[in-house]
Amino acid sequence: MPKDRHERLLAMRAERRLLSDADVAAAADEVDHSSLVPLLQEFVHLGRGRPRKLSLRTLLIGLHLCTQFNGGRIILERVTDILLFGISPQAREHLGVPSYPDHDQGFEAGYAVVRRLFHAMRKAMDPSPLPANKRLSRAEATELRAAADPEALALREHRLALFTEFVLDASVRPLKDLIAELSESSLGVDATPIRAFSRGRKTSGPELATDPDAGWYVREGDHRDPDTAPVAEAMRPPNKRRKSGPTETKGKRTPLKKKAKYLFGYDAALAVTRDARYDQVLLDDNTPNPNILPALVLGISLDKPGHRPAYNGLKVLRRLGERGYKPGFLAGDLAYNNSDPGDWQLPVRALGYRPVYDYRVDQLGKQAETHGAVMVEGTWYCPSMPQTLIDATKDLYAERIDRETWTCLITARKPYRLMPKENEDPEGHQRVMCPAEAGKVQCPTKSRSMGRGIQLPLVDPEPNPAGPLKVCRQRSVTLAPAEGAKHWQSLEYGTDEWQKVYFRLRNSVEGYNGYAKNPLAEAIEASGTRRIRGIAAQTVLLAFQLAHANRRKIAKWLETLALGGERPRRRTHHRRRTKPLGSWTPTGYLSPAG
């Protein structure tokens, strides 16, 4: 190679962009305020031998800088390059980063230090007994699971949860005071699929994948692998566009295709906070309302797709109260409210959350009965409520009524609702009275309710040889939390208030999923953004990605606000032409009047 060409290329390679000392100081401030360093020092043991050349604090600062300048992604090679060659000599000296020569051997030596320290941190938080990066036989995996100490694994799982909480809390710290000022923190909980950096193996095959904690995700049903559990057809409404039998192609009967596996990876359960009290997100000038905070992730948990949705969701919720978040409304998809009441519905209510649910087609109408009262789509009603009101949503799905009629019938249910007489006691029991006792309807069983005006519905109780039902003959009854617990919800299904709360929360968590999956940003669904295998490593890397998405969301929200009478710094949202929430039904929107 000619000498001048060699020198020119050498000069080009030497033009490395250094991060400013201000960026390094800001990252150090974030790490110090997160309290991650004292947390990790409690359980990341250095062991015997020579002291480590890199401290946990310096590694965390490098991870934070990597997310800030690498689109939220953490790649250990990039972390190494930042700490060894991407910051000023003064910053390296301040962080205690050893000096390495700027060539391939020097980089490899520094990379080994960073990698060993990261994996020491990961190992101390790994809740899985199975090693990654090797294909275990099923017999070996069974032996390792049987020999594992459940208490040690539970401790590591707790450490991993604490780590993710610290990372996420640090990302929302600028708005923590504003979040605390809210009367409640309503949440949308949902599990979104993310790919693992591993090639999946057949579920019934002889060996596991190199990421043994991951599993197959299918888009339909409960998202479990169809090789391990059948997809429940009742989990979704019937698809009217799809024929139930085999298709005809040129006289030949072609069987329907088998359900395709969608991806190999994890379900990431996200808890996204949103103020569900407001309908108007944008002001008249199309700028965001400063009184409405952006939707942010407060908690995450990873597991195999379709496995233990209630356990993973509840694991996140239990810690939020200890972190200062006040319980409010809680919305989740069908995977959560179809859990066992003792695993999800009752613990959620015990934590102070007020759940709002949607239901499967086969769960509509009457769902439970106690003291003679009937539960219809999550709410307790008078046993003499007309059958047309009980079956309103079922009739809508069966196309026996139109959407306008359904809306009227939902509104007509309100007078028949059992009314609270007292607040719930600490154990969840509540005294309620029938609507006749509360003056909402007229009932001949309670003569004092008669003659109150034609504006009140007249109840026609069905004759009973045993006499009036308990809820009818008594002035009040006590409802235990376990009665109808699987389907109970805090708002009347289908009402305007239910639509506002449920869809605001569900749309927020779905919108956040799309925001963080943006391929031009964090791209959390892509496997290449988390190139270390195992559930612990995947959780740590995902936590940093979501923390970066939180910071990006907060920064964008602040830049688009019109404050002090000034125009926003950045282009604001364009108002979308959408239909109002009051026009929603379970099968679509109401047709315009006219």
Side-chain angles (χ1 to χ4, degrees), residues 275-410:
D275 190 345
R277 299 173 299 172
Y278 295 94
D279 289 332
Q280 191 67 29
V281 177
L282 299 180
L283 299 177
D284 293 337
D285 60 354
N286 284 356
T287 61
N289 188 339
N291 294 322
I292 304 178
L293 304 181
L296 301 169
V297 167
L298 300 182
I300 60 170
S301 178
L302 263 63
D303 206 342
K304 289 185 178 181
H307 285 61
R308 307 184 301 175
Y311 172 82
N312 292 293
L314 197 61
K315 182 170 65 174
V316 174
L317 296 179
R318 278 177 173 158
R319 298 278 311 167
L320 288 176
E322 300 178 15
R323 294 157 58 192
Y325 298 103
K326 305 170 187 176
F329 289 108
L330 177 68
D333 63 11
L334 297 179
Y336 294 96
N337 62 302
N338 284 311
S339 303
D340 185 88
D343 295 334
W344 176 254
Q345 288 87 339
L346 291 175
V348 160
R349 293 173 62 182
L351 292 174
Y353 288 96
R354 290 170 287 165
V356 285
Y357 297 133
D358 199 0
Y359 301 106
R360 297 192 319 235
V361 177
D362 63 335
Q363 294 174 332
L364 300 172
K366 182 179 176 181
Q367 298 165 325
E369 185 174 356
T370 184
H371 305 310
V374 295
M375 175 177 281
V376 178
E377 289 154 13
T379 302
W380 292 107
Y381 291 98
C382 167
S384 298
M385 186 168 72
Q387 194 67 34
T388 54
L389 301 185
I390 295 176
D391 295 336
T393 310
K394 294 171 65 175
D395 290 342
L396 176 67
Y397 270 98
E399 299 183 351
R400 290 188 287 268
I401 61 175
D402 58 22
R403 298 166 186 171
E404 289 85 353
T405 303
W406 175 83
T407 303
C408 295
L409 294 177
I410 290 295

Side-chain angles (χ1 to χ4, degrees), residues 228-251:
T228 59
V231 177
E233 292 295 333
M235 285 290 291
R236 60 183 183 276
N239 188 346
K240 299 181 178 61
R241 297 182 180 180
R242 185 180 63 204
K243 297 181 180 180
S244 58
T247 58
E248 297 287 343
T249 305
K250 295 183 180 180

Side-chain angles (χ1 to χ4, degrees), residues 102-134:
D102 190 4
H103 53 58
D104 56 345
Q105 293 181 348
F107 181 88
E108 289 298 327
Y111 178 57
V113 171
V114 171
R115 187 177 66 248
R116 282 196 299 265
L117 184 56
F118 179 87
H119 285 290
M121 180 180 71
R122 174 202 58 78
K123 185 176 180 181
M125 300 184 291
D126 194 348
S128 173
L130 304 181
N133 299 312
K134 60 181 298 187

Side-chain angles (χ1 to χ4, degrees), residues 62-104:
L63 296 176
H64 182 76
L65 288 171
C66 185
T67 61
Q68 291 300 100
F69 297 98
N70 199 37
R73 305 174 181 90
I74 290 180
I75 301 175
L76 294 186
E77 290 183 356
R78 175 65 174 150
V79 174
T80 304
D81 188 67
I82 289 174
L83 291 178
L84 269 58
F85 311 113
I87 58 180
S88 68
Q90 295 80 8
R92 288 202 301 272
E93 182 179 359
H94 179 72
L95 297 179
V97 179
S99 178
Y100 289 91
D102 190 4
H103 53 58
D104 56 345

